[in-house]
Amino acid sequence: MIKIKNLHANIDGKEILKGINLEVKAGEVHAIMGPNGSGKSTLSSVLAGREEFEVTEGSVEFDGKDLLDLAPEDRAREGLFLAFQYPVEIPGVSNINFLKTAINETRAYKGIEPISAKEFLAMVKDKSALVELDAKLANRSVNEGFSGGEKKRNEIFQMAMLNPKLSILDETDSGLDIDALRIVANGVNKLKSPNNATIVITHYQRLLDYIVPDFVHVLYNGKIVKSGGKELALELEEKGYDWIKNELKVESEK
Amino acid sequence: MTTAELTKKDTFLATFSALQFNEDSYFKGLRNDAKNELNELDFPTSKTEYWKYTRLGKIVNNTYTLGQPEKIDVSNFLIPNLDAQVLVIVNGHVVADFTSVDGVTVTSLSAAKKQNIGGLKKYFNTLSQNKKEIFLAFNNAFHTDGIYIEVAKNKIVEKPFHIINITTGNNTISQSRNLVVANVGSQVKIIESFVNVGGEKNFNNHVSEFVVAENAVLEYNKIQDKKETNFSIATEQIYQEANSNFTINTATFNGALVRNNLTIEVDASNCETNLNGLYLGKNKDHIDNHTVVDHKKPHCNSNEVYKGILDDESTGVFNGKVFVRQDAQITNAFQQNNNILLTDNAAAYSKPELEIYADDVKCSHGSTTGQIDEEAIFYLQSRGISKKGALKLMINAFAKDALEKVSIEALHTYVDNKIEQELS
């Protein structure tokens, strides 16, 4: 589904990603963990197409296409979805209207006719139930006045509406209480299929109790320094990131 | 022999001196008063506080010829799906006769003067007497023609009026003048489109007076859409009596120099006043809205929202003043101005002012000027919406509450489409 090869990226001349290699196949869930400042959010930003980041080296192939060559909206239309760490409040733009525009622009891109009002409303009803999002919230301005948990649920609601091939959840668990976390994770799990894939970026192992990953990668200092199965997350939780740092230090001193 | 150099004001006076007015002594007297007033006045400079951010060089340094009446095909200026009575002004002249409908007198101002119709003498030229303002004085002294609408007591006019106020030609000057009287308990909606047919540097100095009598409801929608490099100064004077409701919606889409002077005198209790505006500047447009709401009596509400979207090298000016006089207890007055600058070269000058002499009032004002939130644009893009589509969504959201008081559906659609068109 996505093949990231030797990806290097800068912001303001400072190198943040220093050669990322990662391949995610359909049906898989990958978790990327790492301490603050290791480059986790940069990776998701670069994949989603945020302009401030400059890719200096490497390639990303998404479903056979050169992802880095596409505008952010075209990446989304091709099936990439980023659940934001900090969902943006957009006063005056209704959640529903904006999603309808998004769906129809994506349909136009694929040469499909616009969604009918009836079909759309049925979908809203169905998908908002999935994340227990109050129908009223769906009609309000995008994220405006939403609580932290509601914002994150709204991200997953949008994900459900857009039905992406690859979802990247950027610290979706941060700031969530256990109930909200469970709801969000449930939503993600229900959307899982053999045809799509998920990258879960997180600082904490807690989320991975609910969204069980097939692979866990540790990102440190702009590189993936360790990969393993779901037990790696538990090990990290127990030993902390210092364990990785020390291990790396030992290796570099050898 | 040396000739004393003509001042710019003299040049204007010389241009207007050719006008002949066939009116009775009462109306001639009003014109003469204004001419005397003009002796004392001069064109403002940037040192004049009231005109600080709007330099008039472009208007006053130009030499004009008088705009002439013409027959113009107005089909391009009609609002789709709007069932309205259309009234046309061309270069300050009214070229057709109108049919008055039951309970409403509609005629040209010049004809109204000749027939000395109904409330004309009672109200005409009375709403602006203490205001020493040169463009108002020029219009008082030399206005040619315009529309007179008087709605009879308790008459509810279903069909809106659509005044199409057209200027034509290069370097022409015209001074149109309207008076609208909504008598006790009446209701009426008016749209006025200020447009031009070809021509550059034509200047329309317009004045409208509105009387909103007891318990009357009047909605005035003003669409300013002059292309190219034309100039407009418009002065509106509104007088509100008890329990009345007045709404003005101003949408300005273009204009090398547009200045709106709006003064609303709320001279009785329990009135509601809405003054809203949207201005879209591009190229080197200069759009200036000066508004005054004068609350003189208790228990009144006023709401003011002006929003500007300024592109290229355009400039927006907003100066909103709200007076709450000592007698005007329990006044609720809200005012806000928000601007979005789409480029580094666009500018907004915003000055919201409150002058409160009463002690039991609720008043607020606010002003913001900023850029489109790039983070929000990226968020929308990341959901599959093009950058342009995202910009459109955000601007529509920003502009929305400035025009939510437009109650005529077809006009609302027209303005929405127009916004979209202007932004693409």
PDB file of all heavy atoms in Angstrom, chain A residues 49-50 73 76-77 81-82 84 88 91-93 98 102 105 143 155 158, chain B residues 373 375-376 378-387 389 393-394 397 400:
ATOM      1  N   GLY A  49       1.370  16.013   3.230  1.00  0.00           N
ATOM      2  CA  GLY A  49       1.687  17.053   2.247  1.00  0.00           C
ATOM      3  C   GLY A  49       1.773  18.462   2.796  1.00  0.00           C
ATOM      4  O   GLY A  49       1.566  19.430   2.069  1.00  0.00           O
ATOM      5  N   ARG A  50       2.090  18.580   4.069  1.00  0.00           N
ATOM      6  CA  ARG A  50       2.219  19.913   4.642  1.00  0.00           C
ATOM      7  C   ARG A  50       3.421  20.631   4.003  1.00  0.00           C
ATOM      8  O   ARG A  50       4.503  20.082   3.908  1.00  0.00           O
ATOM      9  CB  ARG A  50       2.430  19.781   6.153  1.00  0.00           C
ATOM     10  CG  ARG A  50       1.959  20.965   6.938  1.00  0.00           C
ATOM     11  CD  ARG A  50       2.272  20.745   8.398  1.00  0.00           C
ATOM     12  NE  ARG A  50       1.228  20.029   9.105  1.00  0.00           N
ATOM     13  CZ  ARG A  50       0.149  20.622   9.626  1.00  0.00           C
ATOM     14  NH1 ARG A  50      -0.031  21.910   9.497  1.00  0.00           N
ATOM     15  NH2 ARG A  50      -0.752  19.915  10.270  1.00  0.00           N
ATOM     16  N   GLU A  73      -4.608  17.678  -1.440  1.00  0.00           N
ATOM     17  CA  GLU A  73      -5.982  17.238  -1.704  1.00  0.00           C
ATOM     18  C   GLU A  73      -6.002  15.975  -2.570  1.00  0.00           C
ATOM     19  O   GLU A  73      -6.858  15.106  -2.394  1.00  0.00           O
ATOM     20  CB  GLU A  73      -6.830  18.353  -2.326  1.00  0.00           C
ATOM     21  CG  GLU A  73      -6.320  18.948  -3.632  1.00  0.00           C
ATOM     22  CD  GLU A  73      -5.435  20.167  -3.422  1.00  0.00           C
ATOM     23  OE1 GLU A  73      -4.693  20.209  -2.411  1.00  0.00           O
ATOM     24  OE2 GLU A  73      -5.469  21.080  -4.268  1.00  0.00           O
ATOM     25  N   ALA A  76      -5.369  12.952  -0.487  1.00  0.00           N
ATOM     26  CA  ALA A  76      -6.601  12.547   0.199  1.00  0.00           C
ATOM     27  C   ALA A  76      -7.524  11.820  -0.773  1.00  0.00           C
ATOM     28  O   ALA A  76      -8.113  10.793  -0.442  1.00  0.00           O
ATOM     29  CB  ALA A  76      -7.293  13.773   0.776  1.00  0.00           C
ATOM     30  N   ARG A  77      -7.624  12.355  -1.988  1.00  0.00           N
ATOM     31  CA  ARG A  77      -8.525  11.753  -2.982  1.00  0.00           C
ATOM     32  C   ARG A  77      -8.050  10.359  -3.393  1.00  0.00           C
ATOM     33  O   ARG A  77      -8.840   9.509  -3.773  1.00  0.00           O
ATOM     34  CB  ARG A  77      -8.598  12.661  -4.213  1.00  0.00           C
ATOM     35  CG  ARG A  77      -9.296  13.982  -3.929  1.00  0.00           C
ATOM     36  CD  ARG A  77      -9.004  14.986  -5.015  1.00  0.00           C
ATOM     37  NE  ARG A  77      -9.627  16.279  -4.709  1.00  0.00           N
ATOM     38  CZ  ARG A  77      -9.437  17.371  -5.445  1.00  0.00           C
ATOM     39  NH1 ARG A  77      -8.646  17.343  -6.508  1.00  0.00           N
ATOM     40  NH2 ARG A  77     -10.024  18.489  -5.115  1.00  0.00           N
ATOM     41  N   PHE A  81      -5.510   9.312   4.553  1.00  0.00           N
ATOM     42  CA  PHE A  81      -6.231  10.116   5.547  1.00  0.00           C
ATOM     43  C   PHE A  81      -5.343  10.344   6.755  1.00  0.00           C
ATOM     44  O   PHE A  81      -4.723   9.421   7.263  1.00  0.00           O
ATOM     45  CB  PHE A  81      -7.511   9.410   5.988  1.00  0.00           C
ATOM     46  CG  PHE A  81      -8.303  10.193   6.999  1.00  0.00           C
ATOM     47  CD1 PHE A  81      -9.238  11.130   6.580  1.00  0.00           C
ATOM     48  CD2 PHE A  81      -8.090  10.018   8.367  1.00  0.00           C
ATOM     49  CE1 PHE A  81      -9.958  11.876   7.513  1.00  0.00           C
ATOM     50  CE2 PHE A  81      -8.811  10.761   9.302  1.00  0.00           C
ATOM     51  CZ  PHE A  81      -9.743  11.687   8.863  1.00  0.00           C
ATOM     52  N   LEU A  82      -5.285  11.614   7.184  1.00  0.00           N
ATOM     53  CA  LEU A  82      -4.540  11.925   8.403  1.00  0.00           C
ATOM     54  C   LEU A  82      -5.514  12.401   9.475  1.00  0.00           C
ATOM     55  O   LEU A  82      -6.235  13.379   9.279  1.00  0.00           O
ATOM     56  CB  LEU A  82      -3.500  13.019   8.122  1.00  0.00           C
ATOM     57  CG  LEU A  82      -2.794  13.607   9.354  1.00  0.00           C
ATOM     58  CD1 LEU A  82      -1.921  12.553  10.049  1.00  0.00           C
ATOM     59  CD2 LEU A  82      -1.921  14.803   8.970  1.00  0.00           C
ATOM     60  N   PHE A  84      -5.705  14.353  12.599  1.00  0.00           N
ATOM     61  CA  PHE A  84      -4.795  15.352  13.158  1.00  0.00           C
ATOM     62  C   PHE A  84      -4.599  15.192  14.660  1.00  0.00           C
ATOM     63  O   PHE A  84      -5.538  14.870  15.388  1.00  0.00           O
ATOM     64  CB  PHE A  84      -5.335  16.767  12.888  1.00  0.00           C
ATOM     65  CG  PHE A  84      -5.055  17.288  11.507  1.00  0.00           C
ATOM     66  CD1 PHE A  84      -5.381  16.549  10.379  1.00  0.00           C
ATOM     67  CD2 PHE A  84      -4.483  18.549  11.330  1.00  0.00           C
ATOM     68  CE1 PHE A  84      -5.133  17.039   9.106  1.00  0.00           C
ATOM     69  CE2 PHE A  84      -4.237  19.031  10.059  1.00  0.00           C
ATOM     70  CZ  PHE A  84      -4.558  18.284   8.943  1.00  0.00           C
ATOM     71  N   VAL A  88      -8.274  21.183  13.621  1.00  0.00           N
ATOM     72  CA  VAL A  88      -8.392  22.637  13.505  1.00  0.00           C
ATOM     73  C   VAL A  88      -9.852  23.068  13.638  1.00  0.00           C
ATOM     74  O   VAL A  88     -10.743  22.439  13.069  1.00  0.00           O
ATOM     75  CB  VAL A  88      -7.846  23.092  12.121  1.00  0.00           C
ATOM     76  CG1 VAL A  88      -7.859  24.607  12.012  1.00  0.00           C
ATOM     77  CG2 VAL A  88      -6.442  22.555  11.917  1.00  0.00           C
ATOM     78  N   PRO A  91     -14.482  28.105  12.280  1.00  0.00           N
ATOM     79  CA  PRO A  91     -15.776  28.725  12.569  1.00  0.00           C
ATOM     80  C   PRO A  91     -16.547  29.028  11.277  1.00  0.00           C
ATOM     81  O   PRO A  91     -15.950  29.461  10.293  1.00  0.00           O
ATOM     82  CB  PRO A  91     -15.402  30.045  13.271  1.00  0.00           C
ATOM     83  CG  PRO A  91     -13.990  29.888  13.705  1.00  0.00           C
ATOM     84  CD  PRO A  91     -13.361  28.915  12.765  1.00  0.00           C
ATOM     85  N   GLY A  92     -17.823  28.747  11.295  1.00  0.00           N
ATOM     86  CA  GLY A  92     -18.678  29.119  10.163  1.00  0.00           C
ATOM     87  C   GLY A  92     -18.764  28.063   9.077  1.00  0.00           C
ATOM     88  O   GLY A  92     -19.652  28.117   8.240  1.00  0.00           O
ATOM     89  N   VAL A  93     -17.815  27.127   9.044  1.00  0.00           N
ATOM     90  CA  VAL A  93     -17.878  26.077   8.030  1.00  0.00           C
ATOM     91  C   VAL A  93     -18.521  24.847   8.682  1.00  0.00           C
ATOM     92  O   VAL A  93     -17.976  24.295   9.625  1.00  0.00           O
ATOM     93  CB  VAL A  93     -16.476  25.712   7.509  1.00  0.00           C
ATOM     94  CG1 VAL A  93     -16.540  24.545   6.544  1.00  0.00           C
ATOM     95  CG2 VAL A  93     -15.825  26.918   6.843  1.00  0.00           C
ATOM     96  N   PHE A  98     -18.867  20.656   4.744  1.00  0.00           N
ATOM     97  CA  PHE A  98     -17.474  20.489   4.361  1.00  0.00           C
ATOM     98  C   PHE A  98     -17.210  19.033   3.961  1.00  0.00           C
ATOM     99  O   PHE A  98     -16.535  18.761   2.966  1.00  0.00           O
ATOM    100  CB  PHE A  98     -16.595  21.008   5.513  1.00  0.00           C
ATOM    101  CG  PHE A  98     -15.546  20.073   6.024  1.00  0.00           C
ATOM    102  CD1 PHE A  98     -14.393  19.835   5.290  1.00  0.00           C
ATOM    103  CD2 PHE A  98     -15.693  19.448   7.246  1.00  0.00           C
ATOM    104  CE1 PHE A  98     -13.419  18.983   5.773  1.00  0.00           C
ATOM    105  CE2 PHE A  98     -14.730  18.607   7.738  1.00  0.00           C
ATOM    106  CZ  PHE A  98     -13.593  18.366   6.997  1.00  0.00           C
ATOM    107  N   ALA A 102     -16.011  17.623   0.432  1.00  0.00           N
ATOM    108  CA  ALA A 102     -14.840  16.749   0.340  1.00  0.00           C
ATOM    109  C   ALA A 102     -15.173  15.467  -0.430  1.00  0.00           C
ATOM    110  O   ALA A 102     -14.440  15.043  -1.318  1.00  0.00           O
ATOM    111  CB  ALA A 102     -14.334  16.422   1.744  1.00  0.00           C
ATOM    112  N   GLU A 105     -15.789  16.342  -4.141  1.00  0.00           N
ATOM    113  CA  GLU A 105     -14.568  16.669  -4.887  1.00  0.00           C
ATOM    114  C   GLU A 105     -13.766  15.397  -5.163  1.00  0.00           C
ATOM    115  O   GLU A 105     -13.175  15.233  -6.223  1.00  0.00           O
ATOM    116  CB  GLU A 105     -13.719  17.716  -4.144  1.00  0.00           C
ATOM    117  CG  GLU A 105     -14.292  19.130  -4.257  1.00  0.00           C
ATOM    118  CD  GLU A 105     -13.239  20.238  -4.055  1.00  0.00           C
ATOM    119  OE1 GLU A 105     -12.041  19.983  -4.267  1.00  0.00           O
ATOM    120  OE2 GLU A 105     -13.647  21.357  -3.690  1.00  0.00           O
ATOM    121  N   ASN A 143     -15.316  21.409  14.330  1.00  0.00           N
ATOM    122  CA  ASN A 143     -14.558  21.375  15.589  1.00  0.00           C
ATOM    123  C   ASN A 143     -14.764  22.567  16.516  1.00  0.00           C
ATOM    124  O   ASN A 143     -14.171  22.616  17.595  1.00  0.00           O
ATOM    125  CB  ASN A 143     -13.045  21.229  15.317  1.00  0.00           C
ATOM    126  CG  ASN A 143     -12.728  19.895  14.688  1.00  0.00           C
ATOM    127  OD1 ASN A 143     -13.318  18.890  15.056  1.00  0.00           O
ATOM    128  ND2 ASN A 143     -11.815  19.890  13.737  1.00  0.00           N
ATOM    129  N   GLU A 155     -12.611  13.356  14.093  1.00  0.00           N
ATOM    130  CA  GLU A 155     -11.591  12.914  13.137  1.00  0.00           C
ATOM    131  C   GLU A 155     -11.935  11.516  12.612  1.00  0.00           C
ATOM    132  O   GLU A 155     -11.861  11.253  11.414  1.00  0.00           O
ATOM    133  CB  GLU A 155     -10.196  12.878  13.792  1.00  0.00           C
ATOM    134  CG  GLU A 155      -9.633  14.222  14.178  1.00  0.00           C
ATOM    135  CD  GLU A 155      -9.329  15.102  12.974  1.00  0.00           C
ATOM    136  OE1 GLU A 155      -8.364  14.849  12.250  1.00  0.00           O
ATOM    137  OE2 GLU A 155     -10.110  16.053  12.759  1.00  0.00           O
ATOM    138  N   GLN A 158     -14.890  11.584  10.318  1.00  0.00           N
ATOM    139  CA  GLN A 158     -14.498  11.994   8.963  1.00  0.00           C
ATOM    140  C   GLN A 158     -13.813  10.851   8.222  1.00  0.00           C
ATOM    141  O   GLN A 158     -14.041  10.633   7.035  1.00  0.00           O
ATOM    142  CB  GLN A 158     -13.554  13.196   9.029  1.00  0.00           C
ATOM    143  CG  GLN A 158     -14.224  14.462   9.540  1.00  0.00           C
ATOM    144  CD  GLN A 158     -13.228  15.594   9.718  1.00  0.00           C
ATOM    145  OE1 GLN A 158     -12.261  15.701   8.988  1.00  0.00           O
ATOM    146  NE2 GLN A 158     -13.448  16.428  10.711  1.00  0.00           N
TER     147      GLN A 158
ATOM    148  N   ASP B 373      -6.676  31.525   7.791  1.00  0.00           N
ATOM    149  CA  ASP B 373      -5.953  30.569   8.606  1.00  0.00           C
ATOM    150  C   ASP B 373      -5.398  29.437   7.718  1.00  0.00           C
ATOM    151  O   ASP B 373      -6.137  28.594   7.233  1.00  0.00           O
ATOM    152  CB  ASP B 373      -6.935  30.007   9.653  1.00  0.00           C
ATOM    153  CG  ASP B 373      -6.279  29.018  10.595  1.00  0.00           C
ATOM    154  OD1 ASP B 373      -5.087  28.719  10.401  1.00  0.00           O
ATOM    155  OD2 ASP B 373      -6.972  28.562  11.521  1.00  0.00           O
ATOM    156  N   GLU B 375      -3.630  26.938   8.429  1.00  0.00           N
ATOM    157  CA  GLU B 375      -3.777  25.627   9.041  1.00  0.00           C
ATOM    158  C   GLU B 375      -5.156  25.036   8.693  1.00  0.00           C
ATOM    159  O   GLU B 375      -5.287  23.849   8.409  1.00  0.00           O
ATOM    160  CB  GLU B 375      -3.613  25.795  10.563  1.00  0.00           C
ATOM    161  CG  GLU B 375      -3.574  24.515  11.362  1.00  0.00           C
ATOM    162  CD  GLU B 375      -2.392  23.607  11.045  1.00  0.00           C
ATOM    163  OE1 GLU B 375      -1.368  24.087  10.523  1.00  0.00           O
ATOM    164  OE2 GLU B 375      -2.521  22.396  11.304  1.00  0.00           O
ATOM    165  N   ALA B 376      -6.160  25.918   8.691  1.00  0.00           N
ATOM    166  CA  ALA B 376      -7.514  25.470   8.340  1.00  0.00           C
ATOM    167  C   ALA B 376      -7.585  25.074   6.866  1.00  0.00           C
ATOM    168  O   ALA B 376      -8.223  24.086   6.503  1.00  0.00           O
ATOM    169  CB  ALA B 376      -8.527  26.564   8.645  1.00  0.00           C
ATOM    170  N   PHE B 378      -5.138  23.874   5.102  1.00  0.00           N
ATOM    171  CA  PHE B 378      -4.479  22.576   4.975  1.00  0.00           C
ATOM    172  C   PHE B 378      -5.389  21.451   5.483  1.00  0.00           C
ATOM    173  O   PHE B 378      -5.466  20.380   4.881  1.00  0.00           O
ATOM    174  CB  PHE B 378      -3.145  22.582   5.740  1.00  0.00           C
ATOM    175  CG  PHE B 378      -2.446  21.245   5.691  1.00  0.00           C
ATOM    176  CD1 PHE B 378      -1.927  20.774   4.490  1.00  0.00           C
ATOM    177  CD2 PHE B 378      -2.340  20.449   6.820  1.00  0.00           C
ATOM    178  CE1 PHE B 378      -1.307  19.532   4.419  1.00  0.00           C
ATOM    179  CE2 PHE B 378      -1.723  19.207   6.761  1.00  0.00           C
ATOM    180  CZ  PHE B 378      -1.208  18.751   5.568  1.00  0.00           C
ATOM    181  N   TYR B 379      -6.068  21.735   6.560  1.00  0.00           N
ATOM    182  CA  TYR B 379      -6.997  20.740   7.122  1.00  0.00           C
ATOM    183  C   TYR B 379      -8.052  20.350   6.088  1.00  0.00           C
ATOM    184  O   TYR B 379      -8.319  19.167   5.861  1.00  0.00           O
ATOM    185  CB  TYR B 379      -7.656  21.328   8.371  1.00  0.00           C
ATOM    186  CG  TYR B 379      -8.492  20.365   9.187  1.00  0.00           C
ATOM    187  CD1 TYR B 379      -7.899  19.438  10.020  1.00  0.00           C
ATOM    188  CD2 TYR B 379      -9.877  20.418   9.135  1.00  0.00           C
ATOM    189  CE1 TYR B 379      -8.666  18.569  10.792  1.00  0.00           C
ATOM    190  CE2 TYR B 379     -10.657  19.557   9.903  1.00  0.00           C
ATOM    191  CZ  TYR B 379     -10.040  18.635  10.727  1.00  0.00           C
ATOM    192  OH  TYR B 379     -10.795  17.781  11.495  1.00  0.00           O
ATOM    193  N   LEU B 380      -8.627  21.357   5.436  1.00  0.00           N
ATOM    194  CA  LEU B 380      -9.651  21.080   4.423  1.00  0.00           C
ATOM    195  C   LEU B 380      -9.052  20.343   3.223  1.00  0.00           C
ATOM    196  O   LEU B 380      -9.655  19.416   2.687  1.00  0.00           O
ATOM    197  CB  LEU B 380     -10.323  22.387   3.981  1.00  0.00           C
ATOM    198  CG  LEU B 380     -11.116  23.126   5.079  1.00  0.00           C
ATOM    199  CD1 LEU B 380     -11.558  24.503   4.601  1.00  0.00           C
ATOM    200  CD2 LEU B 380     -12.331  22.325   5.504  1.00  0.00           C
ATOM    201  N   GLN B 381      -7.843  20.767   2.839  1.00  0.00           N
ATOM    202  CA  GLN B 381      -7.167  20.081   1.723  1.00  0.00           C
ATOM    203  C   GLN B 381      -6.927  18.615   2.046  1.00  0.00           C
ATOM    204  O   GLN B 381      -7.080  17.745   1.199  1.00  0.00           O
ATOM    205  CB  GLN B 381      -5.814  20.735   1.450  1.00  0.00           C
ATOM    206  CG  GLN B 381      -5.865  21.969   0.580  1.00  0.00           C
ATOM    207  CD  GLN B 381      -4.451  22.475   0.346  1.00  0.00           C
ATOM    208  OE1 GLN B 381      -3.846  23.068   1.225  1.00  0.00           O
ATOM    209  NE2 GLN B 381      -3.910  22.216  -0.830  1.00  0.00           N
ATOM    210  N   SER B 382      -6.548  18.372   3.299  1.00  0.00           N
ATOM    211  CA  SER B 382      -6.204  17.002   3.687  1.00  0.00           C
ATOM    212  C   SER B 382      -7.433  16.093   3.678  1.00  0.00           C
ATOM    213  O   SER B 382      -7.327  14.895   3.866  1.00  0.00           O
ATOM    214  CB  SER B 382      -5.551  16.990   5.064  1.00  0.00           C
ATOM    215  OG  SER B 382      -6.545  17.105   6.060  1.00  0.00           O
ATOM    216  N   ARG B 383      -8.614  16.709   3.481  1.00  0.00           N
ATOM    217  CA  ARG B 383      -9.832  15.907   3.366  1.00  0.00           C
ATOM    218  C   ARG B 383     -10.286  15.769   1.915  1.00  0.00           C
ATOM    219  O   ARG B 383     -11.377  15.293   1.641  1.00  0.00           O
ATOM    220  CB  ARG B 383     -10.967  16.537   4.197  1.00  0.00           C
ATOM    221  CG  ARG B 383     -10.664  16.661   5.685  1.00  0.00           C
ATOM    222  CD  ARG B 383     -10.280  15.321   6.295  1.00  0.00           C
ATOM    223  NE  ARG B 383     -10.078  15.378   7.731  1.00  0.00           N
ATOM    224  CZ  ARG B 383      -8.929  15.089   8.332  1.00  0.00           C
ATOM    225  NH1 ARG B 383      -7.865  14.735   7.630  1.00  0.00           N
ATOM    226  NH2 ARG B 383      -8.842  15.140   9.649  1.00  0.00           N
ATOM    227  N   GLY B 384      -9.449  16.304   1.004  1.00  0.00           N
ATOM    228  CA  GLY B 384      -9.749  16.124  -0.416  1.00  0.00           C
ATOM    229  C   GLY B 384     -10.338  17.348  -1.094  1.00  0.00           C
ATOM    230  O   GLY B 384     -10.777  17.284  -2.237  1.00  0.00           O
ATOM    231  N   ILE B 385     -10.357  18.486  -0.384  1.00  0.00           N
ATOM    232  CA  ILE B 385     -10.906  19.705  -0.990  1.00  0.00           C
ATOM    233  C   ILE B 385      -9.756  20.520  -1.585  1.00  0.00           C
ATOM    234  O   ILE B 385      -8.720  20.686  -0.936  1.00  0.00           O
ATOM    235  CB  ILE B 385     -11.674  20.525   0.080  1.00  0.00           C
ATOM    236  CG1 ILE B 385     -12.851  19.695   0.606  1.00  0.00           C
ATOM    237  CG2 ILE B 385     -12.150  21.849  -0.475  1.00  0.00           C
ATOM    238  CD1 ILE B 385     -13.578  20.317   1.772  1.00  0.00           C
ATOM    239  N   SER B 386      -9.938  21.012  -2.791  1.00  0.00           N
ATOM    240  CA  SER B 386      -8.866  21.769  -3.441  1.00  0.00           C
ATOM    241  C   SER B 386      -8.584  23.035  -2.645  1.00  0.00           C
ATOM    242  O   SER B 386      -9.420  23.505  -1.876  1.00  0.00           O
ATOM    243  CB  SER B 386      -9.280  22.149  -4.858  1.00  0.00           C
ATOM    244  OG  SER B 386     -10.372  23.043  -4.799  1.00  0.00           O
ATOM    245  N   LYS B 387      -7.424  23.608  -2.865  1.00  0.00           N
ATOM    246  CA  LYS B 387      -7.038  24.816  -2.141  1.00  0.00           C
ATOM    247  C   LYS B 387      -8.054  25.927  -2.411  1.00  0.00           C
ATOM    248  O   LYS B 387      -8.467  26.647  -1.512  1.00  0.00           O
ATOM    249  CB  LYS B 387      -5.640  25.255  -2.568  1.00  0.00           C
ATOM    250  CG  LYS B 387      -5.059  26.278  -1.634  1.00  0.00           C
ATOM    251  CD  LYS B 387      -3.557  26.399  -1.797  1.00  0.00           C
ATOM    252  CE  LYS B 387      -3.016  27.263  -0.666  1.00  0.00           C
ATOM    253  NZ  LYS B 387      -1.572  27.343  -0.659  1.00  0.00           N
ATOM    254  N   GLY B 389     -11.170  25.547  -3.387  1.00  0.00           N
ATOM    255  CA  GLY B 389     -12.438  25.188  -2.748  1.00  0.00           C
ATOM    256  C   GLY B 389     -12.402  25.487  -1.254  1.00  0.00           C
ATOM    257  O   GLY B 389     -13.388  25.962  -0.674  1.00  0.00           O
ATOM    258  N   LEU B 393     -14.804  28.032   0.812  1.00  0.00           N
ATOM    259  CA  LEU B 393     -15.571  27.629   2.002  1.00  0.00           C
ATOM    260  C   LEU B 393     -15.316  28.587   3.161  1.00  0.00           C
ATOM    261  O   LEU B 393     -16.228  29.017   3.856  1.00  0.00           O
ATOM    262  CB  LEU B 393     -15.157  26.223   2.459  1.00  0.00           C
ATOM    263  CG  LEU B 393     -15.879  25.009   1.893  1.00  0.00           C
ATOM    264  CD1 LEU B 393     -15.255  23.743   2.456  1.00  0.00           C
ATOM    265  CD2 LEU B 393     -17.360  25.039   2.217  1.00  0.00           C
ATOM    266  N   MET B 394     -14.044  28.926   3.335  1.00  0.00           N
ATOM    267  CA  MET B 394     -13.685  29.761   4.478  1.00  0.00           C
ATOM    268  C   MET B 394     -14.181  31.191   4.307  1.00  0.00           C
ATOM    269  O   MET B 394     -14.621  31.821   5.254  1.00  0.00           O
ATOM    270  CB  MET B 394     -12.172  29.754   4.675  1.00  0.00           C
ATOM    271  CG  MET B 394     -11.734  28.355   4.973  1.00  0.00           C
ATOM    272  SD  MET B 394     -10.496  28.116   6.173  1.00  0.00           S
ATOM    273  CE  MET B 394     -10.434  29.492   7.180  1.00  0.00           C
ATOM    274  N   ALA B 397     -17.862  31.345   4.800  1.00  0.00           N
ATOM    275  CA  ALA B 397     -18.168  31.251   6.230  1.00  0.00           C
ATOM    276  C   ALA B 397     -17.932  32.595   6.911  1.00  0.00           C
ATOM    277  O   ALA B 397     -18.712  33.039   7.743  1.00  0.00           O
ATOM    278  CB  ALA B 397     -17.290  30.185   6.878  1.00  0.00           C
ATOM    279  N   LYS B 400     -20.667  35.191   5.767  1.00  0.00           N
ATOM    280  CA  LYS B 400     -22.062  34.810   5.961  1.00  0.00           C
ATOM    281  C   LYS B 400     -22.867  35.733   6.867  1.00  0.00           C
ATOM    282  O   LYS B 400     -23.922  36.228   6.476  1.00  0.00           O
ATOM    283  CB  LYS B 400     -22.100  33.378   6.500  1.00  0.00           C
ATOM    284  CG  LYS B 400     -23.396  32.674   6.253  1.00  0.00           C
ATOM    285  CD  LYS B 400     -23.248  31.156   6.347  1.00  0.00           C
ATOM    286  CE  LYS B 400     -22.589  30.714   7.633  1.00  0.00           C
ATOM    287  NZ  LYS B 400     -22.358  29.265   7.675  1.00  0.00           N
TER     288      LYS B 400
END
